[in-house]
Amino acid sequence: MSEEIIPTSASCYFSVSRTGEFHQFLVYDYYDPNGYYAKLLNEPRRCREELRRLCVNMQGFLDQEEVRVNGVRVYPKVLTAYISHRGFMDAPYIAWVITFRGKLRRGLNVFENTSEREVAEYDFEILWQFPKRSRILKFEISTESQIIGKNTLYVVARKGEMVGGYERIEFK
């Protein structure tokens, strides 16, 4: 990847099923002044290699986190990634599809994630969508967060804020 490519923002969408499947769609937006990714899309073999590399790198980051569902460690797995653009050669994004499974139960359920604390290098937002008729009871997250309705959690962090560390979401 060109060293001139700069991450500008990130979005992450979690969808949690009643069967305990957690589906994560992670999108990073970049500023790519030389159109590295736009050119790469015209070279299928190199593009596949880059996507493989991106998946391996993201898996490495995920492996450094400790994720637990109801006290049992689970292991997020990168399924695939793809590259596209937001209309301009210098505005690519990379999206990863990630999944993991935890054993949910009737009543109280707890999602926990422990990662290294760091300063956010760009703005990001996370949206958690829990199953219909479920309810978020409380949460512990280091950045601005709010419950929308009963089963959606919106998290936002701005460039320069401390992020990561211990996070917990209790839901029913």
Side-chain angles (χ1 to χ4, degrees):
M1 175 167 63
S2 170
E3 291 182 16
E4 295 179 16
I5 299 172
I6 301 165
T8 58
S9 65
S11 302
C12 186
Y13 307 94
F14 282 92
S15 176
V16 182
S17 76
R18 287 200 176 283
T19 60
E21 294 172 359
F22 289 70
H23 301 280
Q24 181 179 359
F25 186 64
L26 176 61
V27 181
Y28 277 79
D29 288 289
Y30 296 91
Y31 173 61
D32 180 5
N34 296 323
Y36 171 81
Y37 281 123
K39 294 171 192 164
L40 189 66
L41 289 173
N42 293 319
E43 300 180 43
R45 187 182 63 71
R46 282 191 57 226
C47 188
R48 279 192 305 274
E49 289 171 5
E50 178 70 3
L51 287 169
R52 229 182 331 269
R53 186 186 70 75
L54 289 166
C55 286
V56 167
N57 286 349
M58 181 56 69
Q59 188 65 57
F61 289 122
L62 293 173
D63 291 345
Q64 293 174 23
E65 297 181 4
E66 186 174 319
V67 180
R68 294 185 177 277
V69 176
N70 291 325
V72 177
R73 181 134 188 217
V74 296
Y75 298 90
K77 175 151 179 50
V78 174
L79 299 180
T80 192
Y82 64 90
I83 301 167
S84 193
H85 287 79
R86 301 221 187 260
F88 300 96
M89 280 182 51
D90 66 352
Y93 67 89
I94 300 171
W96 289 267
V97 177
I98 301 163
T99 190
F100 57 95
R101 182 187 266 286
K103 187 171 170 98
L104 299 184
R105 54 188 173 227
R106 284 197 173 289
L108 178 66
N109 289 279
V110 179
F111 167 85
E112 297 170 287
N113 185 9
T114 305
S115 62
E116 196 170 311
R117 296 268 299 154
E118 61 186 351
V119 175
E121 296 180 24
Y122 38 79
D123 293 351
F124 70 83
E125 62 184 11
I126 302 170
L127 189 71
W128 281 87
Q129 183 65 55
F130 289 90
K132 192 174 179 180
R133 296 188 312 273
S134 64
R135 187 167 38 123
I136 300 167
L137 301 172
K138 61 182 176 176
F139 58 88
E140 183 180 329
I141 295 177
S142 64
T143 61
E144 182 182 333
S145 309
Q146 68 178 16
I147 297 171
I148 301 169
K150 294 181 180 182
N151 64 336
T152 303
L153 179 64
Y154 178 67
V155 179
V156 64
R158 299 291 175 222
K159 182 177 180 174
E161 286 185 313
M162 287 299 293
V163 297
Y166 178 75
E167 298 178 341
R168 178 183 178 101
I169 304 170
E170 294 181 16
F171 60 102
K172 181 176 177 171

